[in-house]
Amino acid sequence: ATPTTPAPAPTSAASVPATYSSPGVRPTRTISEEEKAALAVLAEQREKLRAEYNSRRVVGEAEKMVEEKVASALQGRASVGMHGVKDLLAFVKGNADMEDASAKNYTRFAALFGSETGTTNDALLGYSSSCKSLQKLHADLNNTLTSVELKRAEESLAAFEDGAKKVSGAATTMVTDLQSARDKVERAYQAQEKAWTDSEEADKQSTRVASVDSDPWLAGLRYQTAVKALETVQATHGTDLGRLCTEMKAHDLKRLETLKSVLRSYAEARRNLLQKELQNADELCGMIEKIEPASDSHGFLAAADISDLDLVKKEEPAGEAAQPQAAASLGVWIPDEAVRQCNKCQLAFGMMRRKHHCRRCGHVFCDKCSSRTCVLPQSFGFNQQPQRVCDACADTVQQMGAEGGGEGD
């Protein structure tokens, strides 16, 4: 066979076929109409991809802003709620301590003024009884706070803390996952842009692309994979925003309802207690008005068998005969603490029924049975001033006056 004659060398650069086997040589070739059409399609796809990416980026930025705002709001409300339940716990503990201190104070108050006598003792007996009642009210309120309301506050703190942590953690995970997926899409798009650019440069120079990463087709697959991954994450967290907000509102509502209930319970108990304390203060004011300082001050002398006459006896002229004295001036003065009921009507003494001594016979009567007064002889030591006496002594003095005689005169 006759050997094939080698083809003559091309006479122009345009007719040189494309080749990638000659380093340092830049071959050129004519692009066919079919290739031009294909390049036009690729350019169109590239612009479409850019438009899609830009649109997705705008939407993604808006979604990211909403997600971060929601996450921030949830975390902020969780912080507010945590402070709220801790403050409620401190409120209950503080008021329990205050009520305990008040109960102890009223225990001390009830023991005061126990050594007083006469009208002072009568008046302050009621105050002591009122203090004991207030002590019990404060002790009961302290017991309610420590055994009931404190437990409710602690349960509210534990429940809200657990729920708020879960919601905040889920919100953080949601934002992190979505942002990570968006970052992957961004990197994939930038890689595809670089692959397009590298491919264009290689096409211009009629060389191969430098690496697989510069292959537009593979870069496009990676980008589409990243987009699908983002869509999957968005679908996974699609209902998270609404769900997390609903859960946080439920936890917060329960917390606030507990707070309202505890505060209302304490406020009502405290109001009732303060009303009782105000009533106690009014009663004390009324009792104080019933104290007769002059009578009680004189009473301690009578209780010690000392009369005004005894105090002036040394100043009498020598040889002057002592005047006759009735029972009171002779030391018959019944002590307050020895009497529990009126000597006449036999009704028991108490807060509304006070004790009164008859200045003539020395016995103890209620106000009704010793409401009359008369002037007693000088031997009684009352300086001719009308004195309270019982009905029997008043009748006796009046009869003696009608008969023209005097008692010790």
Side-chain angles (χ1 to χ4, degrees):
T2 305
T4 305
T5 303
T11 59
S12 65
S15 62
V16 176
T19 178
Y20 300 98
S21 59
S22 302
V25 178
R26 182 181 179 186
T28 60
R29 65 181 176 82
T30 303
I31 299 176
S32 66
E33 293 298 325
E34 183 179 352
E35 290 176 325
K36 288 181 180 180
L39 290 174
V41 171
L42 291 176
E44 181 180 351
Q45 290 179 348
R46 185 178 185 185
E47 290 302 319
K48 182 179 179 180
L49 177 64
R50 285 176 174 171
E52 177 188 345
Y53 167 76
N54 290 330
S55 176
R56 185 183 298 278
R57 185 176 61 180
V58 171
V59 174
E61 290 295 329
E63 291 176 344
K64 177 183 176 183
M65 185 179 298
V66 172
E67 292 158 3
E68 290 178 346
K69 286 173 64 177
V70 171
S72 177
L74 291 174
Q75 292 168 354
R77 193 58 186 175
S79 177
V80 170
M82 286 301 301
H83 281 93
V85 288
K86 289 180 179 179
D87 288 347
L88 177 62
L89 191 61
F91 174 85
V92 173
K93 288 182 178 178
N95 280 283
D97 292 341
M98 182 179 69
E99 297 303 329
D100 181 59
S102 296
K104 292 178 180 177
N105 284 334
Y106 276 110
T107 299
R108 291 193 291 268
F109 295 159
L112 300 178
F113 307 114
S115 61
E116 295 292 346
T117 60
T119 60
T120 304
N121 179 68
D122 295 341
L124 295 178
L125 278 176
Y127 173 69
S128 176
S129 176
S130 180
C131 285
K132 291 178 181 178
S133 176
L134 288 172
Q135 183 275 333
K136 185 177 185 307
L137 289 174
H138 282 286
D140 289 345
L141 181 53
N142 171 62
N143 182 61
T144 300
L145 288 171
T146 54
S147 62
V148 179
E149 305 304 343
L150 184 61
K151 183 179 179 181
R152 292 174 64 190
E154 289 173 342
E155 290 176 349
S156 177
L157 172 60
F160 185 83
E161 184 176 19
D162 181 63
K165 283 183 177 179
K166 289 181 179 178
V167 171
S168 298
T172 301
T173 300
M174 175 194 70
V175 172
T176 301
D177 289 350
L178 288 169
Q179 187 56 43
S180 176
R182 292 192 184 99
D183 290 343
K184 290 180 180 179
V185 171
E186 175 68 21
R187 289 194 297 270
Y189 174 76
Q190 296 301 331
Q192 181 159 30
E193 279 292 308
K194 184 176 184 303
W196 279 108
T197 302
D198 291 347
S199 178
E200 288 178 346
E201 289 298 324
D203 185 68
K204 290 178 181 178
Q205 299 178 9
S206 297
T207 60
R208 293 183 180 276
V209 293
S211 66
V212 175
D213 292 337
S214 298
D215 189 327
W217 183 78
L218 291 176
L221 286 179
R222 295 191 188 97
Y223 173 74
Q224 292 301 327
T225 300
V227 170
K228 291 294 183 182
L230 174 59
E231 292 174 349
T232 300
V233 173
Q234 288 176 328
T236 301
H237 295 290
T239 58
D240 282 358
L241 288 180
R243 178 180 60 80
L244 293 177
C245 289
T246 300
E247 289 181 4
M248 179 58 77
K249 287 191 291 185
H251 293 310
D252 202 42
L253 177 62
K254 186 176 181 180
R255 173 187 72 84
L256 291 173
E257 286 177 343
T258 301
L259 182 145
K260 179 180 179 180
S261 177
V262 171
L263 293 182
R264 179 172 55 194
S265 176
Y266 172 76
E268 291 176 352
R270 183 67 178 168
R271 178 179 60 188
N272 294 335
L273 195 152
L274 290 176
Q275 289 175 345
K276 183 64 177 178
E277 288 188 330
L278 181 60
Q279 180 183 352
N280 174 64
D282 291 338
E283 291 175 355
L284 179 60
C285 289
M287 296 171 190
I288 291 173
E289 294 303 318
K290 296 178 181 179
I291 296 177
E292 298 179 1
S295 173
D296 292 348
S297 178
H298 178 76
F300 87 92
L301 295 175
D305 295 338
I306 301 173
S307 67
D308 290 346
L309 185 62
D310 294 330
L311 298 177
V312 299
K313 187 178 293 184
K314 294 181 180 180
E315 300 177 3
E316 295 178 354
E320 183 175 341
Q323 298 297 325
Q325 300 178 15
S329 64
L330 291 175
V332 184
W333 188 270
I334 308 301
D336 285 336
E337 56 271 16
V339 180
R340 292 292 179 266
Q341 60 189 21
C342 176
N343 192 53
K344 180 181 179 183
C345 67
Q346 303 301 309
L347 294 177
F349 293 114
M351 185 182 303
M352 304 305 296
R353 185 175 291 106
R354 298 166 47 209
K355 301 176 183 178
H356 299 279
H357 278 86
C358 172
R359 271 48 171 184
R360 183 174 181 276
C361 68
H363 288 281
V364 182
F365 301 86
C366 65
D367 180 70
K368 182 178 180 181
C369 295
S370 61
S371 60
R372 299 163 66 181
T373 60
C374 63
V375 177
L376 297 177
Q378 291 184 357
S379 59
F380 285 81
F382 293 118
N383 301 323
Q384 299 298 303
Q385 296 294 324
Q387 299 296 318
R388 178 190 289 270
V389 294
C390 65
D391 292 341
C393 287
D395 292 340
T396 298
V397 172
Q398 184 176 3
Q399 182 179 1
M400 294 176 64
E403 293 176 354
E407 184 179 11
D409 290 337

